[in-house]
Amino acid sequence: MRHGTLRQASVSFGLKRSVPISPIHRHRYSSSQTVNNVIFSGIQPTGIPHIGNYLGALRQWVQTQTKAEPSTAVIFSIVDLHAITVQQDAIQLRQQKRETLASLLAIGLDPERVTIFHQSAVSGTTHVPVGHDQLQHLEFVRESARNFNARYGDFFPEPEAITSSGKRIMSLKDPSLKMSKSHKAARSRILLNDSPEEIKLKVKAALTDSFEGISYDPIARPGISNLLEMMASVDVHGRSVEQIASDCKTLGKLSFKQQVAEVLSGALADVREKFEYLLRLDDGNYIDHVAAQGAKQAEQIAGRTIKEVKSMIGLE
């Protein structure tokens, strides 16, 4: 496994040579197949993701799981080692790791099809945070691969970034800022497990403007436009943001916000229900089981790579 730890970005590795499928991966691949590519991404364990995380990156993870070729290994990590670059409360971090994993499963990631693991549970990883605005770090990984290959032979592939095509969802309290858990106001974001009432209250309190009617103009009307972007991202009819704005143009802000809340609540209903179910499943042990299995799978791949590297440089 060629490692790069990412924050809501993905990286694709075209392997220099095919890697045989080990028995532990036969839940997704047949014993006769080999891995020619690896798609890897990670998310920090901040607990339950917000709708910006989901629409901006996590929904793409589910699409990647579905579209990946049989010879592509899809691996997702909860990067808890990256999280401790700032001080963390141990009890809270453990809980947030469970909530993050439960959320990934609730949105549709299937541990029978992809590998999901906690970063700290797997030795031999390189910790390189790469986000949408941090692609320069990926170049460092490429350079490291080039340097190793030049000295020891063609072994490490150069990773390529897969950036999300999802819309950038902004804060409900300040639409000039990206939606984030670091914002001190809890009503600045909609969490994936928020109840319909919580979503209604947050949308109702969202900062908009004093103009009449509803129109899409991210520069002049960032608050209204942000709500329209969220609606369009989950619209069951596939309408564009401009079409939705046209359909809502005569609405007052209160009626419009009520409609937004209903649409978002409906879109998150299955995720919310599944999240709560997964945390209770098997007396709470199911999440731990998935984490352990994922770590075992990732450790096996990483261990094989580290062993080959040590052999090439003379450590074994």
Side-chain angles (χ1 to χ4, degrees):
M1 179 178 177
R2 313 329 191 213
H3 292 275
T5 299
L6 314 173
R7 291 188 303 175
Q8 297 191 21
S10 300
V11 63
S12 176
F13 301 86
L15 301 186
K16 295 292 186 179
R17 57 189 181 283
S18 298
V19 177
I21 295 296
S22 59
I24 199 165
H25 283 90
R26 289 176 187 165
H27 62 287
R28 184 172 187 267
Y29 313 97
S30 73
S31 58
S32 61
Q33 290 175 320
T34 57
V35 171
N36 294 318
N37 294 283
V38 175
I39 295 177
F40 177 82
S41 192
I43 184 173
Q44 288 202 52
T46 57
I48 303 161
H50 54 68
I51 195 170
N53 299 137
Y54 176 60
L55 299 177
L58 299 182
R59 187 163 62 175
Q60 181 183 349
W61 288 16
V62 179
Q63 295 168 352
T64 298
Q65 167 186 267
T66 302
K67 296 177 181 179
E69 295 293 331
S71 61
T72 297
V74 182
I75 304 170
F76 298 118
S77 176
I78 297 171
V79 290
D80 49 354
L81 289 179
H82 185 85
I84 61 172
T85 55
V86 296
Q87 187 172 353
Q88 300 280 349
D89 176 82
I91 296 175
Q92 183 179 33
L93 180 58
R94 291 189 194 99
Q95 180 62 22
Q96 289 177 337
K97 288 169 61 175
R98 287 177 55 80
E99 290 176 344
T100 302
L101 179 50
S103 297
L104 295 181
L105 300 176
I107 66 171
L109 290 184
D110 183 355
E112 293 298 311
R113 302 181 67 184
V114 300
T115 296
I116 309 173
F117 71 100
H118 290 128
Q119 181 188 21
S120 62
V122 178
S123 60
T125 57
T126 299
H127 318 309
V128 182
V130 179
H132 225 303
D133 56 349
Q134 297 176 314
L135 295 180
Q136 68 272 20
H137 293 289
L138 195 60
E139 183 56 37
F140 170 77
V141 179
R142 293 192 187 104
E143 184 177 351
S144 297
R146 294 186 199 114
N147 290 340
F148 183 94
N149 293 342
R151 175 170 294 186
Y152 297 106
D154 199 24
F155 180 74
F156 282 113
E158 294 184 25
E160 298 178 3
I162 303 173
T163 54
S164 173
S165 59
K167 291 292 185 180
R168 187 181 177 93
I169 303 301
M170 312 307 284
S171 165
L172 296 179
K173 301 299 289 183
D174 183 352
S176 68
L177 300 175
K178 184 179 178 181
M179 185 177 287
S180 171
K181 280 198 167 183
S182 62
H183 196 290
K184 62 181 180 180
R187 288 193 177 183
S188 68
R189 54 194 172 269
I190 294 173
L191 303 182
L192 296 188
N193 73 329
D194 276 347
S195 68
E197 184 60 28
E198 287 173 319
I199 294 174
K200 180 179 179 180
L201 290 174
K202 289 179 179 181
V203 173
K204 184 178 180 180
L207 181 66
T208 52
D209 54 53
S210 59
F211 298 115
E212 292 186 2
I214 303 301
S215 60
Y216 181 65
D217 187 338
I219 303 300
R221 311 191 71 182
I224 290 292
S225 298
N226 188 43
L227 296 177
L228 286 166
E229 290 277 14
M230 285 191 278
M231 281 188 72
S233 295
V234 299
D235 187 65
V236 295
H237 303 294
R239 293 176 298 171
S240 68
V241 65
E242 291 81 8
Q243 288 174 313
I244 293 176
S246 178
D247 292 343
C248 298
K249 64 183 179 181
T250 61
L251 294 179
K253 291 187 181 63
L254 181 58
S255 296
F256 171 64
K257 287 183 174 181
Q258 288 175 339
Q259 190 171 129
V260 172
E262 290 173 2
V263 169
L264 296 182
S265 181
L268 296 178
D270 288 345
V271 174
R272 180 170 57 244
E273 182 179 346
K274 190 174 181 181
F275 172 79
E276 300 295 342
Y277 168 75
L278 290 169
L279 285 178
R280 298 191 306 267
L281 186 60
D282 192 22
D283 294 327
N285 294 318
Y286 176 72
I287 297 299
D288 297 329
H289 170 73
V290 171
Q293 284 297 106
K296 187 176 180 181
Q297 294 164 9
E299 183 70 55
Q300 189 173 61
I301 302 174
R304 182 168 54 241
T305 300
I306 293 298
K307 183 176 179 64
E308 290 181 74
V309 168
K310 286 183 176 181
S311 176
M312 292 178 73
I313 63 179
L315 295 179
E316 286 189 355

